[in-house]
Amino acid sequence: MRAPIGSFDNARPAADCLAELTGPVAEAVRAWHGTVPAEDIVYVDTDPAIADTAAFVEHYGQELLAQSANCVIVSAKRGGESTLAACLVPSGARADVNGVVRRRLSARKVSFASMDTAVQLSGMEYGGITPIGLPSDWPLLVDSALVGLPYVLVGSGRRRGKLIVPGKLFAELPGADVIEALAA
């Protein structure tokens, strides 16, 4: 199969390669029932040594920077309580953590979750976290620019491999909140 974006040697429907995904991501793909057909969720095998955005687009093509997103986990604090949330923003941008994210989560302070916390509670590898398969009780803040893209490249839950999905899928994920200008 040919990937809908990029030039990848190995592209397959994600449902056909669940063993390549972490448990939470595989379960989310297996149970998917949104308006986007499950076969439109594509897995591409990639080199884990170049999973970080700059190295990835240098190797696989600069055009992917405009078609990819990063998912970061944040910790929002208010009144002694702490809540985890995910932010999905275009890869060439940063989540406006101290402005838009803090206000949207009604928090006094928002910071990036520690790597250990993000990995342990998401069930995914650092550098491969994806919004697909995150705990359903976490808010998922999605930059609206991503929802309008025909396809978006995101993590697969592991550093090896990526998922390519129609942008509108993000609005259908559990806890999704599509926000204008989430990225700074």
Side-chain angles (χ1 to χ4, degrees):
M1 131 179 243
R2 182 167 161 71
I5 58 174
S7 299
F8 298 97
D9 295 331
N10 188 353
R12 299 175 280 164
D16 292 349
C17 52
L18 297 177
E20 303 297 325
L21 308 172
T22 60
V25 178
E27 182 53 36
V29 169
R30 184 182 303 111
W32 180 251
H33 61 275
T35 61
V36 172
E39 57 269 13
D40 286 356
I41 304 171
V42 176
Y43 174 82
V44 291
D45 189 38
T46 60
D47 183 349
I50 55 173
D52 294 327
T53 302
F56 188 88
V57 298
E58 184 174 321
H59 180 81
Y60 290 102
Q62 288 293 324
E63 73 282 357
L64 290 172
L65 185 61
Q67 300 170 308
S68 61
N70 288 330
C71 186
V72 296
I73 309 302
V74 297
S75 176
K77 296 179 176 111
R78 180 174 182 88
E81 302 241 346
S82 182
T83 303
L84 291 177
C87 300
L88 186 67
V89 296
S91 290
R94 296 178 183 260
D96 183 4
V97 173
N98 293 314
V100 176
V101 174
R102 184 182 58 76
R103 286 189 298 275
R104 198 58 159 228
L105 297 175
S106 301
R108 180 182 49 77
K109 180 181 178 185
V110 175
S111 57
F112 293 102
S114 72
M115 179 175 67
D116 289 343
T117 297
V119 167
Q120 181 180 13
L121 298 179
S122 71
M124 301 179 201
E125 293 178 4
Y126 190 74
I129 294 176
T130 183
I132 300 167
L134 287 174
S136 61
D137 60 340
W138 289 9
L140 169 60
L141 309 182
V142 179
D143 190 286
S144 62
L146 297 170
V147 176
L149 292 176
Y151 286 94
V152 181
L153 181 87
V154 292
S156 68
R158 292 201 162 115
R159 288 186 63 84
R160 165 167 235 111
K162 300 283 185 186
L163 296 176
I164 299 174
V165 301
K168 64 184 180 180
L169 176 141
F170 300 127
E172 297 182 31
L173 291 172
D177 184 4
V178 179
I179 302 169
E180 288 286 326
L182 175 62

